[in-house]
């Protein structure tokens, strides 16, 4: 039986009842986080906690127990006997339930907090040989830096990609590649790694931040600069990053083959260093 966290208690997941007046349901007024458990530790929990707090602040959602997120995540791993398995913990906070009105409830209501843990099997084939992605206009809102549960443009984009046999969908805004439906994107041009700068146009991925740190430490040239889609022909390597997939090489964008169809050396080095970093967490 899956045990989930719901508003301060741990209970069987299928016994959770959420109000139809929840503002997460009515307005998609909520934020979320996903952290990865590596059979013994969470990777960069501090980074995820800081981002979650920022998302709450930017959406004016108050969750007095926000600092309990790491403890809740650990409890869910233990209660679901996932200690020795690769797992993910998902946590979502909405503004809570109140009769529908665009204005925030007065007096404020308690937020709705839901979290669950699930076993997760990393997808290794694509991570080794590389994946194909497609490109779509970025039709999202102007605050993509908030990890909001309002993900309709992301799910529409990803579903379109999947239905056409692609592994991810990259978004383009004003001709510039921003990020993907649920990952950040890095492009290597003439030995320099490029990724869209932190701004309101992308989510500041925790994996992205760690890759940038690693690249700087390894003296791999990296610029936080967006790449124009029309410059794709000058790109030798692409990879995408997120919590579940870590670093995934991209070897085709729609019909355009990248790097001769095989993952390139910069991607490989960064993946090795990222793995080293995860191992060092294990031993710290
Ligand atoms: N998504 N950009 C977007 C739009 C994302 O949704 C995500 C993560 C990322 C990468 O962030 P991070 O490295 O912190 O996982 C970038 C999660 C995994 C999800 O929605 O399930």
């Amino acid at each position: 039986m899956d045990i989930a966290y719901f508003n301060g208690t741990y209970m069987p997941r299928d016994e959770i009842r959420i109000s139809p007046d929840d503002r997460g349901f009515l307005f998609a007024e909520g934020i979320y986080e996903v952290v990865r458990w590596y059979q013994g530790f969470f990777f960069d929990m501090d980074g995820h906690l800081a981002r979650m707090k920022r998302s709450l602040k930017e959406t004016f959602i108050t969750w007095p127990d926000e600092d309990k997120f790491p403890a809740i995540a650990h409890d869910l791993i233990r209660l679901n006997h996932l200690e020795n398995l690769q797992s993910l913990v998902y946590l979502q906070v909405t503004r809570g339930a109140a009769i529908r009105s665009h204005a925030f409830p007065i007096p404020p209501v308690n937020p709705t907090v839901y979290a669950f843990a699930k076993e997760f099997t990393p997808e290794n084939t694509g991570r080794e040989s590389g994946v194909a992605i497609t490109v779509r206009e970025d039709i999202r809102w102007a605050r993509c830096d908030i990890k909001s549960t309002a993900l309709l443009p992301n799910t529409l984009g990803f579903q379109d990609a999947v239905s056409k046999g692609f592994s991810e969908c990259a978004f383009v805004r004003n001709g510039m590649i921003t990020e993907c439906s649920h990952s950040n994107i890095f492009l290597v041009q003439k030995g320099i790694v490029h990724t869209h700068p932190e701004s309101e146009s992308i989510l500041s991925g925790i994996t992205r931040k760690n890759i940038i740190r690693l690249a700087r430490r390894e003296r791999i040239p990296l610029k936080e600069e967006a790449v124009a889609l029309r410059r794709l022909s000058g790109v030798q390597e692409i990879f995408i990053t997120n919590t579940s997939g870590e670093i995934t090489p991209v070897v085709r964008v729609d019909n355009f083959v990248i790097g001769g169809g095989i993952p390139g050396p910069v991607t490989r080095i960064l993946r090795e260093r990222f793995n080293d970093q995860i191992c060092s967490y294990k031993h710290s």
Side-chain angles (χ1 to χ4, degrees), residues 98-114:
I99 283 300
R100 188 178 184 280
S101 156
H102 280 62
F104 298 170
I106 300 175
V109 293
N110 289 330
T112 303
V113 186
Y114 166 54

Side-chain angles (χ1 to χ4, degrees), residues 32 51 147 179-184 203 205-207 242-243:
Y32 74 107
R51 185 172 66 184
K147 201 158 171 60
E179 60 174 337
C180 299
S181 76
H182 59 302
S183 51
N184 292 111
L203 181 78
I206 302 302
T207 323
N242 69 13
T243 293

Side-chain angles (χ1 to χ4, degrees), residues 66 115 170 184 208 234 263:
E66 60 183 13
N184 292 111
R208 174 188 176 280

Side-chain angles (χ1 to χ4, degrees), residues 29-231:
E29 229 180 38
I31 61 95
Y32 74 107
E33 268 303 323
V34 181
V35 281
R36 181 161 166 186
W37 172 257
Y38 285 88
Q39 296 160 295
F41 60 94
F42 287 106
F43 181 71
D44 202 352
M45 177 54 98
D46 290 349
H48 285 280
L49 177 63
R51 185 172 66 184
M52 185 200 73
K53 287 183 177 181
R54 180 178 183 277
S55 297
L56 287 169
K57 191 163 156 271
E58 294 297 319
T59 51
F60 307 99
I61 296 174
T62 306
W63 178 31
D65 286 343
E66 60 183 13
D67 282 309
K68 289 193 183 153
F69 174 34
I72 292 168
H74 272 107
D75 286 347
L76 287 172
I77 293 292
R78 185 175 43 80
L79 293 168
N80 290 286
H81 313 293
L82 295 167
E83 289 95 333
N84 299 317
L85 299 169
Q86 297 275 5
S87 316
L88 294 172
V89 172
Y90 174 93
L91 174 127
Q92 167 169 342
V93 187
T94 77
R95 200 180 309 285
I99 283 300
R100 188 178 184 280
S101 156
H102 280 62
F104 298 170
I106 300 175
V109 293
N110 289 330
T112 303
V113 186
Y114 166 54
F116 65 86
K118 65 165 187 185
E119 189 185 347
F120 150 78
T121 312
E123 200 275 289
N124 279 326
T125 322
R127 287 183 57 225
E128 290 310 321
S129 50
V131 299
I133 66 171
T134 186
V135 176
R136 229 178 124 105
E137 190 62 30
D138 196 340
I139 58 166
R140 299 175 301 160
W141 70 326
R143 288 303 307 273
C144 298
D145 56 312
I146 299 172
K147 201 158 171 60
S148 156
T149 54
L151 289 172
L152 187 57
N154 306 58
T155 60
L156 289 175
F158 188 61
Q159 180 55 35
D160 178 56
V162 168
S163 70
K164 294 173 180 158
F166 293 102
S167 298
E168 184 44 305
C169 167
F171 293 136
V172 172
R173 186 172 293 204
N174 301 326
M176 309 305 281
I177 300 168
T178 52
E179 60 174 337
C180 299
S181 76
H182 59 302
S183 51
N184 292 111
I185 187 162
F186 292 72
L187 304 98
V188 184
Q189 282 173 316
K190 296 189 183 127
I192 303 172
V193 185
H194 293 75
T195 193
H196 196 290
E198 271 191 337
S199 76
E200 294 182 350
S201 300
I202 67 158
L203 181 78
S204 175
I206 302 302
T207 323
R208 174 188 176 280
K209 268 195 178 157
N210 280 286
I211 302 289
I212 292 172
R213 242 180 257 139
L214 282 178
R216 300 243 150 93
R217 209 176 64 199
E218 295 294 318
R219 306 208 184 288
I220 295 170
L222 184 143
K223 285 186 184 163
E224 290 187 64
E225 273 177 21
V227 173
L229 182 62
R230 69 187 152 79
R231 298 265 180 238

